[in-house]
Structure formats: C-alpha cells, structure tokens
C-alpha cells in the first residue's frame, strides 16, 4: 500500500510539471469527493513557515537619536511659552507634522491651532490633561509655508495666555504636485469634519510593486483640496487607524525594493512603534507569478478586539492566491491562526474556476480574490468580501462556520448544503458584483440578530451571476447599504448612491463606501479612466445630495486611489508623550 501511495504521488507531480495549473486542478477535481480532503490545501504550519512574520526593531532603533533629542528638550527649563522648542518632520517621513515642546511654571492645559487659508480649514487640538511639561504633536501644516500656529495656555484658575509661533515646511514632492486635485463641491457646514476640523480625507494609494512606484504617497486633503498630511514611506492598500490612534501601513523595509514586506505601526509624526516583518521570498520563487504576488499582504488588515491583526494574504503555495487569512499576535509578531477559504467554501469553486475577461488579472489561480475583512466584536465574527465570487460572507472567527452568505451567483451554482446560508432578498436589491470594502454601520453593531452592511458595489458580473446583475453590469457603480436579518436570513436594501452618475463613474475594480455619520457616507470611485483618475464624494444618504466632491487626475503609474478614508489627525484625547 505504501508503494502504491508513492506511485500516485509521483503521478500528481508529473501532471503538475507537464500540464501546469490545469493538469493539477483537473486531477484534483476528478478525484476529490470531500471538501476537506483536497490535496492542494496547504497546512497551517506550511503557511506560517512561508510567510514567517516577526517583530523587528531596526526602525525603532534608527529613531533613538531623535527620541533622545526630544527627551532632552522636554527636561530643558529654557523652553518656555516665550521660547518653545520646535521640530518640523521630526522622524523624516511626515513632512507636514511637527513637535513643539515647552514648560509652564503652573499646571496648565494646551489648545493650539494651525491657521487655515480659508473658512473651516484651521485645525485645532486641545489637550485634556493639566501638566507643567507640554509636548505637542502639531499636525495639518501646509507645504512650502511658514505656518502660523496659535498656542493657548489655560491654567486651573481660568486665566490664560497665548503665543503665536511659525513653522516652515518644505515643498511638496513632484509626485504630489503633479496630481491634479479639483474640488467641485465643498459644503463645509454639512461635511463631517470632526472636532476642531481635524478630519482629513485620505487618499489610500494602491501602489503596485515596483521601484518606480515608490513615490505614490498616501496623502490627506482638507475641504479645499489642500494636502495637509502625507507620508514619504511607500504605502500600498493598507492605511488604517488603530484603536490607540496610531496608523497601520503596509510598506517597504527599503524604498528601493520592488516588493512590500512590512506592516508598520506609527503615528502621524512618523514615529514608529512596531514593525511586523514578512518573508518576501515566499512568492519570489513562484514561476510565472506577477509582481503583486511578491506582496504577502494584498488588500486588507483589521484589528481584533485584543489588538491582534488579521490580514488577507496568499498562502505561499503555487496553485492559488489571495484566499487565505492569517492572525498576527501584536505581542510576538508571530502567526497564531490561519484561515483558508478553500476549507470553508465548495471545492468546485476553486477546482473548476474559470477566469473571464472581467477577472483575468491572476488567471485561474485567483478564484477568490479577497479584498476586505471586517471584525465584529459583538459576536466574534468576520465579514469577508470576495470579488471573484461576487459574495460577502459572515463566519464565526473561532469555529470558522458560515453564518450567512450574500451572493451575486445563481442559487443553482451553490451545492445544496450551502443554500441554507444564502440570504433571500426582501424586495428589490442590488446584488454584489465584484464588490469591495464590506463594513458594518457601527450604529447597528449592538442590534440582536440584525445589522446594516455597507459595500462599494463595482457592479460587474464576474462568472455565473444572477440575471439582474448581468443586465446592469458595467453601467454604473454604487455604494449600497443593506439591512440583514440574521435570524431569518433575509436582506433588504435601505440606501444606495451612484446609479444616477452612470457609466462615467463606473469602476470595475477597487473602491470603498464608508460610514461617516447618521446621514453622511464617503464613496471612492477609485478606478476611472483606466486608473488615471478617481472621484471621491461625500454624500447625504437620505437626500442623495453631494456635500463634498473632489476629482483627482494624473495620479501616476500605479498610484490609484484604492480607498478613501476620513480620519481625524487627533483621534484620541490623551496627551502626546515622547516616551510612548
């Protein structure tokens, strides 16, 4: 029996060598009868070994000199309200930020404002704690400007004093000045701009692999379309704000590299707190793979309740891509869990997958193409978006069992054992087609047995789809919000925006639709004119009126606006500290 098993194994290897992916899949699909016995599902251990995440400290160590300089300034009594220590771009990667340090003789709290160039563009932050030692993160500076910053010191007895300082910044790099930013509408009274107008609209760049795309920087705009923040660290896809207020970005250990290999936790001044290193060579040995495959993290990373990170990755094998998730410990940097979608969905979805013209990028190996993962703490579950299967799915994080499936595929395309999970429409709805960025309306997270789901529906029929999706495919893209009754497995559409914009705003790939307030949403039509342009619109979901509309063109090679986010520069109330 052992000899026979060896012979069979040799036959499989020969089939792979001779017939490539097709030979292996053909053998697999004709011999496998059970979902969990497919021989091309790699073990969790193999995935962990190939990706090999770990914490490294080289970037933190490289900033030790600046940290020591700032610490010295904090303890220097000569820096007072009339003689403040200032340092623009302290860590060399955030040119429109600064650190300001001084002492007061009595405990006080500080409020400070970067004076804007028009109404509602001044950015203010107020520190809530009283102290005699003051360390300020000054964010939202203008480029190539001697910025005016007004500082107000308020003592416990109610008395106060004020001081104006000026901070000179450098010119924008040519890769940003070349981007054409056209604000078509900005109703500042109705925009969601945050406390102290501290919220910017961030353009999260795709930045495909390659040396020439290293300067497609992610940047933040104010309501006038002025760039008020950017990082010179290369970023691709991942630009998230964590619960502690820090940023999480997917970047390169060296800008000259053709690949991305680090998840970095940093603040808006560019100070690095953690670096998760990935093994970039795992995909480098794959024959015929495209550059995107050199990036283990490809579309999304989400923070779990305990601070661990769940990332969408490729499993390191040669047969399939972008259908696996890993959980990374924020304490050790090691992979502690692997979720392989091939173990959850029908085997025929990947063994017989046929890449059509609308999803041909990675060919048959890209059967799933996961582009987002969202964690719900209330019931410890994950909501997953798959572009190439036209589905959004909710699974239990611990057991990986399916809870429901929103599918743009025909019901008959699903094996009978899966049909009990399929959501049934209550009234007419837009079925997902090549959709992106599935998230939950946060106001519905505490609801029992129901939630509101938001997606950017690219509205492109990929593979076998429902008739209504096939009929509307390619005519428009839209942001859609659904209400899902998780008990009855029914779904109702409650809002949408984008259909009236027609084909001019059809984006067959990328995009997002974000919750801003009870009424407002932010939508990113990120792939217009074959990726040369993007249109970001803040709209009132109830009235369907635009309150902010910006068009970006001349984005540069590979510098697409993958997602648009509205983040605050000051997301937490705690005072900035040099020793953090």
């Amino acid at each position: 029996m052992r000899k026979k098993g060896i012979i069979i194994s040799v036959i499989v290897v020969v089939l792979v060598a001779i017939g490539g992916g097709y030979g292996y899949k053909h053998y697999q699909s004709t011999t496998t009868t059970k979902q969990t016995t497919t021989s091309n599902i790699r073990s969790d251990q193999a995935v962990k070994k190939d990706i090999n995440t770990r914490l490294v400290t080289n970037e933190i160590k490289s900033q030790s000199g600046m940290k020591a300089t700032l610490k010295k300034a904090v303890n220097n009594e000569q820096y007072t309200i009339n003689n403040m220590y200032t340092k623009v771009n302290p860590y060399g990667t955030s040119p429109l930020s600064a650190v300001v340090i001084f002492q007061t003789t009595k405990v006080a709290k500080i409020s400070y404002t970067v004076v804007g160039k028009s109404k509602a563009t001044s950015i203010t932050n107020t520190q809530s704690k009283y102290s005699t030692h003051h360390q300020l993160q000054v964010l939202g500076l203008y480029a190539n400007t001697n910025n005016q910053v007004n500082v107000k010191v308020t003592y416990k007895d109610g008395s106060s004093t004020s001081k104006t300082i000026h901070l000179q910044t450098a010119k924008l790099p040519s890769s940003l000045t070349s981007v054409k930013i056209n604000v078509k509408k900005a109703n500042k009274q109705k925009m969601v701009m945050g406390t102290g107008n501290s919220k910017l609209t961030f353009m999260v760049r795709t930045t495909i692999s390659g040396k020439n795309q290293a300067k497609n920087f992610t940047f933040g705009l104010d309501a006038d379309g002025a760039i008020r923040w950017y990082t010179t660290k290369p970023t691709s896809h991942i630009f998230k704000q964590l619960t502690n207020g820090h940023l999480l970005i997917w970047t390169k250990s060296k800008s000259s590299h053709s690949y991305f290999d680090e998840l970095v936790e940093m603040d808006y001044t560019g100070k690095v707190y953690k670096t998760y290193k990935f093994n970039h060579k795992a995909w480098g040995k794959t024959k015929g793979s495209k550059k995107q495959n050199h990036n283990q993290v490809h579309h999304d990373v989400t923070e779990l309740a305990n601070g661990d990170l769940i990332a969408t990755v490729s499993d390191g094998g040669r047969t399939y891509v972008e259908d696996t998730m890993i959980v990374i410990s924020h304490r050790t940097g090691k992979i502690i869990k692997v979720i392989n979608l091939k173990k959850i969905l029908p085997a025929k979805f990947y063994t017989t997958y046929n890449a059509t013209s609308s999803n041909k990028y990675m060919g048959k190996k890209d059967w799933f193409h996961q582009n987002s993962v969202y964690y719900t703490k209330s019931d410890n579950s994950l909501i997953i978006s798959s572009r190439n299967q036209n589905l959004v799915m909710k699974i239990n994080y611990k057991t990986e069992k399916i809870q429901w499936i929103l599918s743009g595929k025909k019901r008959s395309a699903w094996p009978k054992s899966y049909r009990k999970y399929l959501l049934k429409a209550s009234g007419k709805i837009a079925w997902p087609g090549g959709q992106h960025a599935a998230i939950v309306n946060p106001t519905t997270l505490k609801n029992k047995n129901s939630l509101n789901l938001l997606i950017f529906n690219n509205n492109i029929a990929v593979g076998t789809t429902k008739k209504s999706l096939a009929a509307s495919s390619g005519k428009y893209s839209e942001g859609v919000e659904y209400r899902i009754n998780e008990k009855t497995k029914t779904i109702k559409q409650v809002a949408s925006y984008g259909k009236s914009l027609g084909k001019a705003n059809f984006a067959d790939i990328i995009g997002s639709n974000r919750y801003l307030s009870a009424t407002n949403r932010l939508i990113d039509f990120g792939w217009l004119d074959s990726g040369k342009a993007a249109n970001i619109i803040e709209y009132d979901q109830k009235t369907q009126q635009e309150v902010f509309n910006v068009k970006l063109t001349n984005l540069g090679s590979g510098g697409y606006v993958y997602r648009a986010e509205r983040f605050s520069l000051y997301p937490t109330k705690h005072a900035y500290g040099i020793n953090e």
Side-chain angles (χ1 to χ4, degrees):
M1 288 299 291
R2 186 182 173 200
K3 198 178 223 181
K4 184 177 178 182
I6 293 172
I7 293 171
I8 291 173
S9 298
V10 171
I11 291 172
V12 172
V13 172
V14 171
L15 282 169
V16 172
I18 295 175
Y22 171 76
Y24 186 61
K25 290 178 193 175
H26 179 72
Y27 168 83
Q28 224 256 344
S29 62
T30 55
T31 59
T32 300
T33 56
K34 289 186 179 181
Q35 167 78 15
T36 56
T37 60
T38 51
S39 58
N40 58 345
I41 296 180
R42 306 186 75 237
S43 69
D44 291 358
Q45 196 58 38
V47 173
K48 291 178 181 179
K49 182 178 179 181
D50 281 340
I51 298 176
N52 188 29
T53 63
R54 66 270 190 203
L55 288 173
V56 295
T57 59
N58 54 304
E59 288 181 283
I60 295 173
K61 288 178 180 178
S62 70
Q63 295 181 349
S64 59
M66 177 51 61
K67 184 177 179 180
T69 297
L70 296 178
K71 186 176 181 180
K72 187 176 180 180
V74 169
N75 296 321
N76 193 331
E77 294 181 357
Q78 76 174 19
Y79 295 121
T80 65
I81 184 68
N82 294 313
N83 179 38
M84 299 182 189
Y85 173 91
T86 64
K87 179 64 177 177
V88 174
N89 193 14
Y91 300 100
T93 59
S94 183
L96 303 184
S97 71
V99 171
V100 174
I101 296 170
F102 63 96
Q103 294 184 27
T104 51
T105 54
K106 298 184 295 182
V107 293
K109 63 179 180 180
I110 313 300
S111 177
Y112 52 100
T113 300
V114 176
V115 178
K117 294 183 179 181
S118 70
K119 185 178 180 181
T121 57
S122 293
I123 297 175
T124 298
N125 184 43
T126 300
Q127 294 189 339
S128 58
K129 293 183 178 180
Y130 285 90
S131 178
T132 56
H133 290 67
H134 309 287
Q135 307 164 44
L136 314 180
Q137 282 183 318
V138 181
L139 306 169
L141 301 173
Y142 290 94
N144 195 29
T145 300
N146 192 23
N147 291 265
Q148 179 180 327
V149 181
N150 297 331
V151 181
K152 183 178 181 180
V153 179
T154 303
Y155 302 102
K156 279 192 172 182
D157 62 7
S159 62
S160 65
T161 185
S162 297
K163 180 72 176 179
T164 295
I165 60 173
H166 289 85
L167 299 172
Q168 179 65 51
T169 52
K171 295 179 180 180
L172 291 173
S174 59
S175 62
L176 289 183
T177 56
S178 61
V179 176
K180 295 180 180 178
I181 302 169
N182 179 17
V183 176
K184 297 181 176 182
K185 187 178 183 66
N187 187 333
K188 296 175 182 178
Q189 289 184 325
K190 293 187 176 181
M191 290 175 65
V192 178
M193 300 173 69
T195 304
N197 297 322
S198 65
K199 288 190 175 183
L200 301 180
T201 306
F202 287 90
M203 307 298 146
V204 181
R205 312 295 287 278
T206 299
T207 313
I208 59 175
S209 296
K211 296 179 181 179
N212 295 331
Q213 284 79 38
K215 294 184 178 180
N216 288 326
F217 302 136
T218 287
F219 58 92
L221 300 176
D222 67 12
D224 290 341
I227 295 176
R228 304 288 293 274
W229 186 91
Y230 71 97
T231 178
T232 56
K233 291 181 78 67
T235 55
S236 182
H237 289 90
I238 314 303
F239 184 85
K240 293 290 186 76
Q241 198 170 73
L242 301 174
T243 54
N244 62 6
H246 295 163
L247 296 171
L248 184 72
I249 67 169
W250 180 232
T251 188
K252 302 179 179 183
S253 52
K254 288 186 179 180
S255 295
S256 59
H257 286 162
S258 62
Y259 51 84
F260 289 75
D261 59 344
E262 289 184 346
L263 274 175
V264 170
E265 180 184 337
M266 68 180 197
D267 64 26
Y268 281 105
T269 67
K271 181 181 178 181
V272 173
Y273 296 82
K274 280 183 182 178
T275 300
Y276 303 86
K277 185 82 169 181
F278 286 66
N279 177 22
H280 72 276
K281 294 181 180 179
W283 270 110
K285 61 189 178 185
T286 304
K287 293 182 179 180
S289 65
K290 295 191 177 183
K291 288 183 178 180
Q292 179 74 17
N293 287 348
H294 288 271
N295 298 331
Q296 285 291 2
V297 178
H298 52 79
H299 278 84
D300 206 3
V301 178
T302 293
E303 185 181 19
L304 301 179
N306 63 356
D308 290 344
L309 305 174
I310 183 165
T312 60
V313 299
S314 295
D315 66 12
R318 299 188 178 197
T319 309
Y320 301 110
V321 299
E322 300 188 357
D323 63 359
T324 303
M325 292 178 285
I326 56 171
V327 179
I328 306 167
S329 167
H330 73 285
R331 292 186 178 89
T332 67
K334 295 293 186 180
I335 299 172
I336 56 176
K337 183 178 176 69
V338 176
I339 301 175
N340 193 320
L341 277 304
K342 291 188 290 293
K343 294 180 180 180
I344 297 173
L345 288 169
K348 71 173 185 177
F349 280 12
Y350 57 90
T351 58
T352 62
Y353 176 71
N354 182 30
T356 63
S357 59
S358 62
N359 58 334
K360 63 182 180 180
Y361 170 61
M362 287 299 299
K364 293 186 176 184
K365 64 176 64 176
D366 192 16
W367 71 279
F368 194 72
H369 197 97
Q370 183 179 353
N371 55 44
S372 71
V373 55
Y374 181 93
Y375 175 72
T376 59
K377 180 181 178 181
S378 57
D379 60 358
N380 198 31
S381 63
L382 302 173
I383 295 176
I384 298 160
S385 170
S386 164
R387 179 187 188 272
N388 288 351
Q389 294 295 330
N390 302 306
L391 74 83
V392 179
M393 177 173 65
K394 184 176 182 180
I395 66 172
N396 181 277
Y397 170 71
K398 184 177 180 180
T399 65
E400 301 177 21
K401 289 183 178 180
I402 298 172
Q403 296 184 17
W404 51 255
I405 298 170
L406 170 60
S407 174
K409 299 166 73 72
K410 294 179 180 178
R411 184 177 176 85
S412 60
W414 288 90
K416 290 182 179 180
S417 60
Y418 285 82
R419 294 176 190 173
K420 62 185 177 182
Y421 302 115
L422 298 177
L423 297 176
K424 296 178 181 179
S426 175
K428 188 177 180 179
I429 73 167
W431 294 98
Q435 77 297 320
H436 283 73
I439 62 171
V440 174
N441 179 327
T443 65
T444 67
L445 284 172
K446 293 183 179 180
N447 293 351
K448 188 176 182 180
N449 297 324
S450 72
L451 56 79
N452 279 26
L453 177 76
L454 283 78
I455 65 169
F456 179 81
N457 193 12
N458 299 78
N459 193 37
I460 183 167
V462 181
T464 303
T465 58
K466 297 180 184 294
K467 287 183 180 180
S468 60
L469 173 55
S472 65
S473 177
K475 295 180 179 179
Y476 57 86
S477 296
E478 60 182 341
V480 185
E481 182 165 348
Y482 309 94
R483 181 169 294 117
I484 298 174
N485 187 315
E486 298 184 299
K487 188 175 182 179
T488 62
K489 299 291 191 295
T490 55
I491 182 169
K492 180 180 180 180
Q493 185 167 311
V494 295
S496 67
Y497 177 84
K499 187 175 182 178
S500 63
L501 302 178
K503 199 158 188 176
N505 275 53
F506 168 68
D508 60 342
I509 61 172
I510 64 182
S512 56
N513 183 40
R514 298 310 205 197
Y515 177 94
L516 297 181
S517 69
T519 56
N520 289 22
R521 306 289 184 268
L522 184 72
I523 190 168
D524 168 36
F525 300 94
W527 180 270
L528 304 181
D529 191 19
S530 300
K532 297 176 184 176
N535 189 196
I536 290 82
I537 299 172
E538 180 181 352
Y539 63 96
D540 186 314
Q541 187 165 262
K542 293 182 179 179
T543 66
Q544 294 287 289
Q545 297 297 308
E546 295 179 1
V547 299
F548 178 67
N549 185 325
V550 60
K551 183 77 176 284
L552 296 96
T553 55
N554 202 33
L555 289 164
S557 176
Y560 326 122
V561 181
Y562 170 61
R563 286 177 182 166
E565 307 283 4
R566 183 69 58 78
F567 290 149
S568 172
L569 293 172
Y570 301 104
T572 59
K573 292 183 179 180
H574 77 274
Y576 168 69
I578 300 302
N579 293 322
E580 289 183 339

